[in-house]
Structure formats: structure tokens, C-alpha cells
Amino acid sequence: MNPAQWTEVDQYFVSKLVPEDPMIAAALEASHAAGLPAINVAPNQGKLLQLFARMLGAKRILEVGTLGGYSTLWLAKALPADGRVITLELDPKHAAVARDNFLKAGLNAQIELREGPAAESLNQLITEKCPAFDFVFIDADKASIPVYFEAALRLSHPGTVIVVDNVVRNGAVLDESTTDVNVQGVRRFMDTVAADNRVTATALQTVGSKGYDGFALLLVNS
Ligand code: SAH
Ligand code: DHB
Ligand code: MG
């Protein structure tokens, strides 16, 4: 384990392959200045999400957990002119910073932020018979991942791709007797998917500037 080297390699890849978009960089700067925690995705993961969305030709994207809107902006930049991101955030301070970042990035018209507990916002979307999303990024409180996954499935169509962030947490996912509700959430999600024929799934471990973590990738079956 050499976290300093992971960060250096991330910086190398980012310098070569992930040119900094001034709007997205400014959003991250504003988020830090406002005191938001630096738990946004790394730039190369933001670009990975953007590439997934582009590969899918996604027009409708759902994000659970906005923070200052860093990942939201990476995703919004993947959209065609008539595309839309709906992003869900509980914390009013985070939501305010994100809204300001969306305005300044000129992407306010394409991004809808719904403030409040994501479980409630998701139920609202289901009640509204919101059209299905093409891509879903689940990145809020980890204890509720199973709830967000079930709601995401109800808001999906065959071919929808769902990414779930932070499923490794320094290897904590292995601890079957954990008392950490976040790890319990990840493990319950894994148990659900293991017994689920609605999706085809895998998960990957990552190391880099955000430490040792990983994500799950799911395709909604026909
Ligand atoms: N996706 C962001 C990071 C999100 S951090 C990025 O990569 O840039 C997780 C966010 O989820 C935090 O802003 C936190 O306030 C929010 N959150 C936590 N619990 C939540 C809940 N119950 N409903 C909605 N958002 C929640
Ligand atoms: C945390 C949340 C995240 O979404 C993340 O990518 C890293 C850390 C956290 O709550 O600590
Ligand atoms: Mg995350």
C-alpha cells in the first residue's frame, strides 16, 4: 500500500487525459471555499461517469447525493442539448453551493436539484411517473444504498446503467460483523444484488487520490 504513489499516478493520468474544465474546477474551488467536505469523486472518476453517460447516449440522468455538484457537472456535460440531470441532496448548505455552481457553469437549465431526504425525493419521482432514467449514480449516505437501489430500479428501463460509489471503504466491506451502518448498507446491497435477476452486476476496487475504495456497476436486464 502506497497512497502517495496512488495519488501521483492519479495526477499523472489526470494531467494527460483529463484536461481541467474551468467551470468544473471553479465549482470544486467554490465547494472547498464554502467548507464542504472533499468527498467528491476524483477527476478521473468524474470523467469515467461522463464517458459511461456518453457511451449510453444518456438523455436522462439521476444522481443521489449532490454535495457541491462536482460529479453532477461531469454528468451534465455528457448530455445532449435536450438532456437532463436530476440530482438529490439532503443538506441545504450543500444544495445552495451546488445551485450556485450550476448557475455559474451555465448548466442550470439542464440540472434539477431536489432538496430533502433522497428516499422521499425518489418516492416523489415514482409517484410523478417520472420518465425512466438512462444512467443513475448513487452516492449519498451508504446506509440507504439498498433503498436507493430499489427506487432506482423502479425509475429505470432495460439497459439503464447504475453506478454505486464507495462499496469498498478501505476494505471495510469484508467485515460481516460490522456495526457501521454504512458498511451494513453496502453489504445488504451486495446480498440483494447477488440474489437478483433484474440486474447484471460487477464491482471494482480503486486506489488513487481518494484512497482505497471502489464502485459497483449494474446493467438493468430486459
Ligand atoms: N456525488 C458527489 C458527492 C456526494 S457526497 C460528488 O462526487 O461530487 C454525499 C452527499 O450525500 C452529501 O452531500 C450528503 O449531504 C448527501 N446525503 C447524505 N444523506 C442524504 C440523504 N438521506 N438524502 C440525500 N442526500 C444525502
Ligand atoms: C464519503 C462519501 C463519499 O461519497 C465518498 O466518495 C467518500 C467518502 C464519506 O461520507 O465519508
Ligand atoms: Mg462517493
Side-chain angles (χ1 to χ4, degrees), residues 164 167-168 189-190 200-206 213-218:
V164 181
V167 299
V168 176
F189 163 68
M190 291 292 167
T200 304
T202 189
L204 286 180
Q205 306 179 71
T206 57
D213 214 322
F215 61 89
L217 177 69
L218 301 91

Side-chain angles (χ1 to χ4, degrees), residues 4 51 98 102 122 133-134 138 148 194-195 220 222:
L51 286 170
F102 301 155
L122 289 163
F133 293 92
D134 308 306
I138 297 177
Y148 302 151
V220 177
S222 310

